[in-house]
mmCIF file of all heavy atoms in Angstrom:
data_model
loop_
_atom_site.group_PDB
_atom_site.id
_atom_site.type_symbol
_atom_site.label_atom_id
_atom_site.label_comp_id
_atom_site.label_asym_id
_atom_site.label_seq_id
_atom_site.Cartn_x
_atom_site.Cartn_y
_atom_site.Cartn_z
ATOM 1 N N ILE W 314 -30.802 -11.952 0.127
ATOM 2 C CA ILE W 314 -29.449 -12.329 0.521
ATOM 3 C C ILE W 314 -28.488 -11.726 -0.538
ATOM 4 O O ILE W 314 -27.255 -11.557 -0.226
ATOM 5 C CB ILE W 314 -29.312 -13.857 0.644
ATOM 6 C CG1 ILE W 314 -28.068 -14.245 1.316
ATOM 7 C CG2 ILE W 314 -29.529 -14.572 -0.666
ATOM 8 C CD1 ILE W 314 -28.079 -15.689 1.910
ATOM 9 N N GLY W 315 -28.965 -11.302 -1.659
ATOM 10 C CA GLY W 315 -28.129 -10.680 -2.681
ATOM 11 C C GLY W 315 -27.663 -9.279 -2.336
ATOM 12 O O GLY W 315 -26.899 -8.643 -3.148
ATOM 13 N N MET W 316 -28.030 -8.765 -1.209
ATOM 14 C CA MET W 316 -27.703 -7.359 -0.811
ATOM 15 C C MET W 316 -26.598 -7.320 0.266
ATOM 16 O O MET W 316 -26.156 -6.240 0.644
ATOM 17 C CB MET W 316 -28.900 -6.668 -0.280
ATOM 18 C CG MET W 316 -30.026 -6.508 -1.277
ATOM 19 S SD MET W 316 -29.655 -5.307 -2.544
ATOM 20 C CE MET W 316 -29.379 -3.824 -1.577
ATOM 21 N N LEU W 317 -26.276 -8.483 0.841
ATOM 22 C CA LEU W 317 -25.497 -8.370 2.094
ATOM 23 C C LEU W 317 -24.019 -8.697 1.947
ATOM 24 O O LEU W 317 -23.575 -9.693 1.464
ATOM 25 C CB LEU W 317 -26.070 -9.398 3.117
ATOM 26 C CG LEU W 317 -27.434 -8.992 3.604
ATOM 27 C CD1 LEU W 317 -27.799 -9.753 4.859
ATOM 28 C CD2 LEU W 317 -27.507 -7.517 3.878
ATOM 29 N N ALA W 318 -23.228 -7.733 2.460
ATOM 30 C CA ALA W 318 -21.806 -7.763 2.351
ATOM 31 C C ALA W 318 -21.235 -8.466 3.617
ATOM 32 O O ALA W 318 -21.916 -8.658 4.571
ATOM 33 C CB ALA W 318 -21.271 -6.324 2.291
ATOM 34 N N SER W 319 -19.932 -8.783 3.515
ATOM 35 C CA SER W 319 -19.233 -9.227 4.736
ATOM 36 C C SER W 319 -17.766 -8.932 4.679
ATOM 37 O O SER W 319 -17.162 -8.755 3.613
ATOM 38 C CB SER W 319 -19.539 -10.710 5.012
ATOM 39 O OG SER W 319 -18.527 -11.494 4.412
ATOM 40 N N ALA W 320 -17.164 -8.802 5.877
ATOM 41 C CA ALA W 320 -15.713 -8.554 5.963
ATOM 42 C C ALA W 320 -15.180 -9.595 6.953
ATOM 43 O O ALA W 320 -15.752 -9.818 7.986
ATOM 44 C CB ALA W 320 -15.460 -7.183 6.511
ATOM 45 N N SER W 321 -14.093 -10.201 6.640
ATOM 46 C CA SER W 321 -13.412 -11.117 7.530
ATOM 47 C C SER W 321 -12.024 -10.510 7.842
ATOM 48 O O SER W 321 -11.205 -10.356 6.903
ATOM 49 C CB SER W 321 -13.258 -12.497 6.925
ATOM 50 O OG SER W 321 -14.512 -12.976 6.543
ATOM 51 N N LEU W 322 -11.830 -10.212 9.089
ATOM 52 C CA LEU W 322 -10.596 -9.410 9.434
ATOM 53 C C LEU W 322 -9.701 -10.218 10.404
ATOM 54 O O LEU W 322 -10.137 -11.038 11.167
ATOM 55 C CB LEU W 322 -11.022 -8.144 10.158
ATOM 56 C CG LEU W 322 -12.051 -7.264 9.409
ATOM 57 C CD1 LEU W 322 -12.428 -6.065 10.311
ATOM 58 C CD2 LEU W 322 -11.520 -6.804 8.116
ATOM 59 N N ASN W 323 -8.397 -9.885 10.364
ATOM 60 C CA ASN W 323 -7.479 -10.361 11.380
ATOM 61 C C ASN W 323 -7.138 -9.250 12.325
ATOM 62 O O ASN W 323 -7.871 -8.237 12.401
ATOM 63 C CB ASN W 323 -6.265 -11.013 10.712
ATOM 64 C CG ASN W 323 -5.380 -10.037 9.961
ATOM 65 O OD1 ASN W 323 -5.518 -8.829 10.095
ATOM 66 N ND2 ASN W 323 -4.512 -10.583 9.122
ATOM 67 N N ASP W 324 -5.999 -9.293 12.980
ATOM 68 C CA ASP W 324 -5.689 -8.281 13.992
ATOM 69 C C ASP W 324 -5.062 -7.026 13.367
ATOM 70 O O ASP W 324 -4.818 -6.063 14.082
ATOM 71 C CB ASP W 324 -4.746 -8.879 15.062
ATOM 72 C CG ASP W 324 -5.444 -9.038 16.335
ATOM 73 O OD1 ASP W 324 -6.456 -8.320 16.575
ATOM 74 O OD2 ASP W 324 -5.036 -9.884 17.137
ATOM 75 N N THR W 325 -4.805 -7.079 12.068
ATOM 76 C CA THR W 325 -4.259 -5.895 11.428
ATOM 77 C C THR W 325 -5.393 -5.262 10.579
ATOM 78 O O THR W 325 -6.528 -5.596 10.750
ATOM 79 C CB THR W 325 -3.079 -6.296 10.481
ATOM 80 O OG1 THR W 325 -3.609 -7.024 9.369
ATOM 81 C CG2 THR W 325 -2.046 -7.108 11.217
ATOM 82 N N LYS W 326 -4.984 -4.421 9.608
ATOM 83 C CA LYS W 326 -6.012 -3.863 8.733
ATOM 84 C C LYS W 326 -6.415 -4.805 7.612
ATOM 85 O O LYS W 326 -7.261 -4.472 6.785
ATOM 86 C CB LYS W 326 -5.452 -2.560 8.152
ATOM 87 C CG LYS W 326 -5.373 -1.448 9.114
ATOM 88 C CD LYS W 326 -6.643 -0.594 9.026
ATOM 89 C CE LYS W 326 -6.754 0.372 10.224
ATOM 90 N NZ LYS W 326 -8.158 0.733 10.466
ATOM 91 N N PHE W 327 -5.709 -5.921 7.504
ATOM 92 C CA PHE W 327 -5.936 -6.825 6.394
ATOM 93 C C PHE W 327 -7.275 -7.507 6.505
ATOM 94 O O PHE W 327 -7.733 -7.864 7.560
ATOM 95 C CB PHE W 327 -4.788 -7.898 6.404
ATOM 96 C CG PHE W 327 -4.861 -8.806 5.237
ATOM 97 C CD1 PHE W 327 -4.221 -8.446 4.028
ATOM 98 C CD2 PHE W 327 -5.519 -10.035 5.315
ATOM 99 C CE1 PHE W 327 -4.284 -9.293 2.958
ATOM 100 C CE2 PHE W 327 -5.592 -10.913 4.226
ATOM 101 C CZ PHE W 327 -4.925 -10.517 3.056
ATOM 102 N N GLY W 328 -7.921 -7.706 5.344
ATOM 103 C CA GLY W 328 -9.212 -8.432 5.436
ATOM 104 C C GLY W 328 -9.572 -9.104 4.084
ATOM 105 O O GLY W 328 -8.989 -8.780 3.070
#
Side-chain angles (χ1 to χ4, degrees):
I314 193 161
M316 296 291 297
L317 291 196
S319 90
S321 304
L322 308 176
N323 65 16
D324 251 336
T325 69
K326 287 266 167 204
F327 186 85

